[in-house]
């Protein structure tokens, strides 16, 4: 079983060192532009998954084709045949995206660590942990950077060490997107979906009662209030 904490640390370290060896800017500009960003943000508001995570998954799975399912890039109007299988059909891209993020492994909507390491590791889980099990950087994340050389699962469960992934990886896309859109940050904070209020902050414990500040409802509080009423003190 893959140690996800160790993988998060490894991905964060790769992020700090990675250099792009391909051009990510053109695709990144398309992903952050309206109306695409508006649609990603609408799904983010319902799921709690950052919109930029949704954007790069959409690019990797379907080259941002709005007629496909976010889960695996299968046609929106058909039942999916690739993992996750048996999903759909869906009327809208947003419906399929919600299903993929909320109802399908790795259940991205349950993630609460959206730091760089946490985000990249959730993306890696989205594609599968086969590369991590082999001790290799995932091309789903690192293709197009100096962190990846070769090796690819050419179909579900079939790995070919000689194949080089030709798609742009999520890490390079995210880095290019942050340069175009300064609202993209990796704070690691919990993201609360719309309509789900965050838990209220706990109230501070009451101060220890004393003769000057007796506990509310106590006999001491009664005499203090009586003293104030008789002598007009406030």
């Amino acid at each position: 079983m893959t140690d996800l904490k160790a993988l998060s640390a490894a991905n964060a370290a790769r992020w700090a060192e990675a250099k792009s060896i391909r051009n990510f800017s053109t695709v990144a500009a398309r992903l952050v532009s309206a109306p695409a960003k508006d649609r990603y943000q609408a799904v983010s508001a319902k799921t709690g998954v950052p919109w930029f995570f949704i954007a790069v998954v959409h690019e990797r799975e379907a080259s941002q084709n709005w007629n496909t399912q976010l889960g695996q890039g299968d046609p929106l109007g058909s039942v999916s045949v690739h993992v996750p299988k048996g999903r759909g059909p869906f009327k809208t891209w947003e419906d399929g995206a919600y299903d993929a993020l909320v109802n399908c492994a790795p259940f991205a909507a349950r993630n609460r660590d959206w730091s760089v390491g946490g985000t990249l590791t959730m993306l890696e889980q989205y594609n599968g942990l086969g590369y991590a099990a082999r001790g290799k950087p995932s091309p789903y994340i690192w293709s197009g950077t100096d962190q990846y050389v070769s090796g690819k699962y050419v179909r579900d469960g079939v790995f070919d060490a000689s194949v080089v992934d030709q798609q742009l990886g999520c890490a390079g896309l995210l880095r290019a997107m942050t340069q175009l859109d300064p609202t993209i940050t990796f704070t690691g904070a919990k993201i609360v979906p719309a309509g789900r209020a965050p838990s209220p902050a706990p109230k501070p414990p009451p101060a220890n009662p004393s003769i000057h500040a007796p506990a509310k409802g106590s006999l001491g509080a009664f005499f203090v209030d009586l003293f104030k009423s008789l002598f007009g003190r406030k």
Side-chain angles (χ1 to χ4, degrees):
M1 179 178 288
T2 302
D3 184 335
L4 295 180
K5 288 186 177 180
L7 182 58
S8 293
N11 278 329
R14 288 179 180 132
W15 173 272
E17 298 175 357
K19 293 180 175 58
S20 297
I21 57 177
R22 294 177 61 189
N23 179 18
F24 288 86
S25 59
T26 301
V27 176
R30 172 163 46 80
L31 295 176
V32 303
S33 298
K37 180 179 175 180
D38 297 333
R39 298 184 73 172
Y40 297 139
Q41 288 180 317
V43 175
S44 176
K46 292 181 178 180
T47 62
V49 178
W51 70 267
F52 46 86
F53 176 102
I54 301 169
V56 295
V57 169
H58 193 199
E59 178 63 26
R60 278 292 309 195
E61 296 296 334
S63 300
Q64 208 185 24
N65 185 336
W66 299 97
N67 294 311
T68 61
Q69 300 181 34
L70 185 68
Q72 65 305 86
D74 284 353
L76 194 65
S78 303
V79 177
S80 62
V81 296
H82 297 96
V83 178
K85 297 180 180 180
R87 313 309 298 182
F90 299 102
K91 290 184 178 180
T92 68
W93 177 85
E94 285 79 3
D95 289 342
Y98 182 91
D99 179 72
L101 298 168
V102 174
N103 300 323
C104 302
F107 305 103
R110 302 179 189 177
N111 185 46
R112 292 297 179 264
D113 177 12
W114 296 111
S115 63
V116 164
T119 299
L120 295 176
T121 298
M122 178 51 64
L123 285 165
E124 188 159 350
Q125 289 180 82
Y126 200 96
N127 179 243
L129 295 173
Y131 298 101
R134 292 173 175 270
K136 294 180 175 294
S138 168
Y140 195 87
I141 312 300
W142 301 108
S143 179
T145 76
D146 60 358
Q147 300 298 301
Y148 169 75
V149 177
S150 65
K152 180 177 171 64
Y153 280 92
V154 292
R155 56 185 180 274
D156 291 342
V158 180
F159 180 79
D160 189 329
S162 65
V163 173
V164 177
D165 193 318
Q166 298 301 310
Q167 287 183 271
L168 296 175
C170 295
L173 285 171
L174 287 171
R175 178 158 290 175
M177 289 165 68
T178 62
Q179 295 171 354
L180 297 170
D181 188 333
T183 67
I184 298 173
T185 60
F186 302 96
T187 63
K190 188 182 293 188
I191 297 177
V192 181
R196 188 187 304 170
S199 301
K203 295 181 179 180
N208 293 330
S210 68
I211 190 171
H212 299 292
K216 186 177 181 180
S218 68
L219 186 60
F222 170 78
F223 282 114
V224 168
D225 291 340
L226 180 62
F227 179 80
K228 291 180 179 178
S229 66
L230 289 174
F231 294 95
R233 296 186 59 184
K234 295 182 179 181

